[in-house]
Amino acid sequence: MSDGELDFFFEEDEDDGVCSKREECPNCFRPKTVCICAFFPETKIVTRTRVIIVQHPKEQKRKIRTVPLLEKCIDQGTLLIVRKGKVRSLEALIPPTWQGLPKVLLFPGGRESKKIMKSLSDGEGIVMIALDGTWSQAQKMYDRSPVLHCLPRVELPSGEKSSFAVRMQPAKGCLSTAEAVAFAVDALDGEVKGSLVEAVRKPLEAMVSHQIKFAESNGADYLERWDTVDRKVSEMRLSQALQQPKS
């Protein structure tokens, strides 16, 4: 599970040499004019599933990311973020207090384990590892981490639609990291109401709404400053986004 391959529009900041530095919210780290703190849950959600996100080192440099939203929604006692390009040892990755729990990997191409699902219904809990980066980075991280290959995989049912409209996904049904983790946690915890999914999507949709409004006001001139091989695709996705009916 990973965030998309390409940001096809995003707000500029001081690094772009276009806008002066804007005051940031110290909680959501967005410019105060587009703060999304009001959309975070008042109380962070405590889950039985413990989540370890292995984040590609380059992911932190991206302007728009979803894992920070997840951090504001899920209790920190059940979430661990580790920044590295590959996993050499599960013992070094997993905290000692979580070592004895069943472990799974959230990654496409696997199948759910009935034994692990039963352990959840008994209230034991589980450790779920997810990879965060572009899809190509996530695949490379998996390929370079043989210790992850022995873990049972869980993947999401097809048909879920991502709210992360400002990142290009490689195929239908692909979700951002935060969305994928939230769906998986709700499923593993047996949460029928989708509490974590709802909590994550509220600030995510607010952030995306701000980005689309920015693109609407800057789209034509903004795209002129792009110099990437994906420019044609970016223009197509931007056009599609701007044609969506306004809420």
Side-chain angles (χ1 to χ4, degrees):
M1 295 297 108
S2 58
D3 287 342
E5 296 288 352
L6 176 67
D7 299 311
F8 68 92
F9 51 84
F10 47 79
E11 293 186 30
E12 293 171 303
D13 58 21
E14 64 275 14
D15 293 332
D16 297 309
V18 177
C19 303
S20 60
K21 186 172 182 178
R22 295 167 296 177
E23 190 175 0
E24 285 187 346
C25 169
N27 185 49
C28 69
F29 304 108
R30 305 282 297 162
K32 284 192 172 181
T33 54
V34 288
C35 173
I36 57 175
C37 289
F39 298 92
F40 292 130
E42 291 184 7
T43 303
K44 290 185 178 181
I45 297 171
V46 179
T47 65
R48 284 185 295 163
T49 301
R50 282 74 161 177
V51 179
I52 299 177
I53 295 178
V54 182
Q55 188 176 77
H56 193 279
K58 292 184 179 180
E59 185 64 18
Q60 262 198 312
K61 298 178 182 179
R62 289 183 171 272
K63 294 176 181 289
I64 305 176
R65 299 176 290 131
T66 65
V67 168
L69 306 183
L70 184 65
E71 289 183 272
K72 300 298 181 182
C73 297
I74 190 171
D75 186 82
Q76 295 306 294
T78 55
L79 175 66
L80 175 65
I81 299 174
V82 180
R83 295 179 177 91
K84 56 176 61 184
K86 61 182 177 180
V87 179
R88 299 179 184 275
S89 165
L90 290 179
E91 288 189 359
L93 177 70
I94 301 172
T97 55
W98 298 1
Q99 291 283 351
L101 297 175
K103 305 163 188 65
V104 297
L105 177 68
L106 179 61
F107 200 75
R111 57 187 177 84
E112 292 181 346
S113 166
K114 292 182 180 179
K115 180 179 180 182
I116 289 174
M117 295 302 288
K118 184 177 185 301
S119 74
L120 282 175
S121 66
D122 292 340
E124 185 179 351
I126 199 169
V127 175
M128 183 180 72
I129 300 171
L131 305 180
D132 181 41
T134 66
W135 284 91
S136 59
Q137 286 171 346
Q139 184 63 58
K140 289 177 182 177
M141 290 164 70
Y142 176 77
D143 292 341
R144 295 169 180 171
S145 306
V147 295
L148 298 180
H149 300 180
C150 63
L151 295 177
R153 293 196 213 174
V154 292
E155 59 180 329
L156 303 174
S158 59
E160 298 293 350
K161 186 176 180 181
S162 177
S163 295
F164 198 29
V166 294
R167 275 281 189 96
M168 181 181 298
Q169 306 297 343
K172 279 187 176 182
C174 294
L175 302 174
S176 68
T177 302
E179 290 174 302
V181 168
F183 271 108
V185 167
D186 279 351
L188 293 172
D189 276 15
E191 176 54 68
V192 295
K193 295 182 180 179
S195 61
L196 187 55
V197 171
E198 291 178 1
V200 167
R201 281 198 155 167
K202 286 179 181 178
L204 176 59
E205 289 171 359
M207 181 178 72
V208 167
S209 176
H210 290 315
Q211 299 303 133
I212 290 177
K213 288 178 182 177
F214 177 82
E216 287 176 333
S217 61
N218 296 274
D221 293 336
Y222 194 62
L223 287 172
E224 288 300 320
R225 293 193 294 273
W226 275 66
D227 184 23
T228 73
V229 295
D230 295 298
R231 177 172 171 178
K232 288 185 179 179
V233 178
S234 302
E235 291 176 339
M236 178 189 69
R237 291 293 300 273
L238 177 57
S239 175
Q240 291 173 347
L242 299 185
Q243 290 172 13
Q244 295 297 317
K246 302 201 185 327
S247 56

